[in-house]
Amino acid sequence: MATSPESEHPIKAYGYAARDPSGLLSPLTFSRRATGEKDVRFKVLYCGICHSDLHFVKNEWGITKYPVTPGHEIVGVVTEVGTKVEKFKIGDKVGVGCLVGSCRSCQVCDTDYEQYCPKQVNTYGMPYFDGTQTYGGYSDHMVSDEHFVLRWPENLPLDSGAPLLCAGITTYSPLKYFGLDKPGVKVGVVGLGGLGHVAVKMAKAFGAEVTVFSTSPAKEQEAIEGLKADHFINSKDEHKMQGVKGTLDGIIDTVSGNHPIAPLLNALTPHGKLVLVGAPEKPLEVAAFSLIMGRKTVAGSNIGGIKETQEMLDFAAKHGITADIEIIPIDYVNTAMERLLKSDVRYRFVIDVANSIKAE
């Protein structure tokens, strides 16, 4: 007989969960494991809402097991540490992003790319090593192996910094890996949403010349004046798109809706790279000659390893990079999901967990 979420572990926890593909979230009493010798337990203060949370609660990727408590942009304060924890103490400010486990012994783990480990464990909605389900940050507290816990920089705000645990590393990592982190490099950012606005901030902090591509002309003022992008292109304007032909060293494409990439490849210089961090539902259409005639690359990138995520947080703190957020209480979360579906947020919702999730 299956064990209920409330009784499978000894420590009672409270959160919000979806119970079916409607995606509607409501209070859930569940349980978390006792603090192991290498575990860090912390009170959750804030948790960002990622577009992945919306996909997952609605089972749009076909892998959701209910009930599911989402949230992988989690910050809080340590309340307990295991006997062999070395990096954290009670009272420390910490974060947990998209991962809470990996095998720690394969080649990708050994080279600090835990996000590509075949045995990776996501922060919510996946079986942990003990066979029980992982529950995310829409909850009152978390427990994680210390390897997957991030030290929170003292001068980085907890609330507006929380989305960096997904949106920040998702954009920082490809900028670094593909050599788009040098002063003077010409970088395009496609889409000006939760990922895109952080990508602009990261690229500008590296010293890049940044061009924003959007289908929404109304976002030009925000891109140029608010985010300090150097150029704005309405990607529906064929004349404007033709004007940037062959000018960009790399493009970070954050759009998860279906869209043509041929015009973006056209904007790249020879040896240029188009890096996908959004995940459109339909397969891409790429003409071979659009790659061959210029040795251009279409690539993808998924978050970052733990070492690089810590590096990103320290970089963000140094350069004053945070997400633009709207703070909400947990009982607003279903309305927030509806608004997120309509892109009605500038640019990330963050749940004030500590002040709005209470024990039933």
Side-chain angles (χ1 to χ4, degrees):
M1 184 175 176
T3 306
S4 73
E6 190 172 357
S7 61
E8 63 187 0
H9 292 298
I11 310 298
K12 191 168 287 190
Y14 304 93
Y16 266 56
R19 291 167 169 81
D20 58 55
S22 71
L24 287 173
L25 292 124
S26 58
L28 175 74
T29 300
F30 62 105
S31 56
R32 294 199 184 276
R33 69 179 183 268
T35 306
E37 60 184 17
K38 295 289 286 182
D39 282 342
V40 174
R41 186 178 302 278
F42 64 94
K43 176 183 179 181
V44 177
L45 299 179
Y46 297 99
C47 184
I49 296 180
C50 177
H51 212 283
S52 298
D53 299 347
L54 180 60
H55 289 301
F56 210 91
V57 297
K58 292 179 174 289
N59 196 26
E60 291 177 353
W61 294 333
I63 59 173
T64 304
K65 179 182 177 183
Y66 296 101
V68 59
T69 294
H72 58 206
E73 300 174 349
I74 314 161
V75 295
V77 60
V78 176
T79 57
E80 187 180 10
V81 295
T83 56
K84 293 186 178 180
V85 167
E86 299 175 352
K87 297 187 291 183
F88 303 98
K89 65 183 185 302
I90 293 172
D92 284 352
K93 295 172 183 174
V94 294
V96 165
C98 303
L99 296 175
V100 292
S102 70
C103 79
R104 308 279 298 280
S105 61
C106 67
Q107 183 181 7
V108 289
C109 285
D110 285 344
T111 51
D112 300 311
Y113 291 111
E114 296 97 336
Q115 76 273 30
Y116 301 124
C117 175
K119 296 181 180 178
Q120 66 176 269
V121 180
N122 291 345
T123 302
Y124 67 82
M126 285 189 69
Y128 196 63
F129 299 119
D130 62 5
T132 62
Q133 181 99 334
T134 56
Y135 291 87
Y138 297 14
S139 59
D140 64 340
H141 76 278
M142 288 283 296
V143 60
S144 172
D145 184 290
E146 73 166 332
H147 180 80
F148 297 92
V149 179
L150 288 309
R151 171 186 48 78
W152 201 259
E154 194 58 43
N155 61 329
L156 187 63
L158 290 164
D159 50 5
S160 55
L164 299 180
L165 292 163
C166 179
I169 189 59
T170 295
T171 53
Y172 177 93
S173 185
L175 287 168
K176 292 279 288 186
Y177 183 84
F178 291 100
L180 304 176
D181 58 340
K182 312 293 190 297
V185 168
K186 296 183 178 181
V187 174
V189 174
V190 185
L192 199 60
L195 288 175
H197 89 287
V198 175
V200 173
K201 293 183 181 187
M202 291 289 183
K204 288 296 295 181
F206 283 128
E209 181 180 331
V210 179
T211 299
V212 171
F213 295 86
S214 175
T215 57
S216 303
K219 291 187 177 180
E220 180 171 3
Q221 183 177 1
E222 172 64 13
I224 301 297
E225 297 179 13
L227 299 173
K228 309 303 180 185
D230 299 283
H231 313 284
F232 179 90
I233 302 293
N234 176 358
S235 49
K236 289 182 177 178
D237 187 326
E238 293 183 12
H239 177 72
K240 291 285 181 64
M241 290 297 292
Q242 196 62 25
V244 294
K245 180 179 179 180
T247 63
L248 300 178
D249 299 301
I251 296 173
I252 305 297
D253 187 344
T254 72
V255 175
S256 56
N258 298 313
H259 61 289
I261 66 167
L264 300 175
L265 290 169
N266 193 48
L268 292 173
T269 61
H271 316 291
K273 302 130 185 153
L274 172 61
V275 187
L276 308 177
V277 296
E281 182 182 346
K282 294 182 179 178
L284 303 173
E285 291 188 10
V286 182
F289 275 105
S290 67
L291 303 177
I292 293 169
M293 304 306 289
R295 193 184 276 168
K296 297 176 183 180
T297 301
V298 177
S301 184
N302 180 39
I303 55 171
I306 301 304
K307 181 180 178 180
E308 189 176 43
T309 304
Q310 185 67 64
E311 177 187 295
M312 177 277 302
L313 289 174
D314 294 337
F315 179 85
K318 179 180 178 181
H319 293 276
I321 298 172
T322 58
D324 294 358
I325 65 169
E326 180 178 333
I327 298 178
I328 64 166
I330 189 65
D331 58 11
Y332 187 79
V333 68
N334 290 309
T335 302
M337 290 289 191
E338 292 174 6
R339 288 178 55 192
L340 181 59
L341 188 61
K342 297 183 287 189
S343 300
D344 178 23
V345 57
R346 295 292 181 269
Y347 282 98
R348 207 70 155 185
F349 288 114
V350 172
I351 303 167
D352 182 357
V353 172
N355 288 314
S356 61
I357 291 187
K358 308 295 181 184
E360 290 182 312

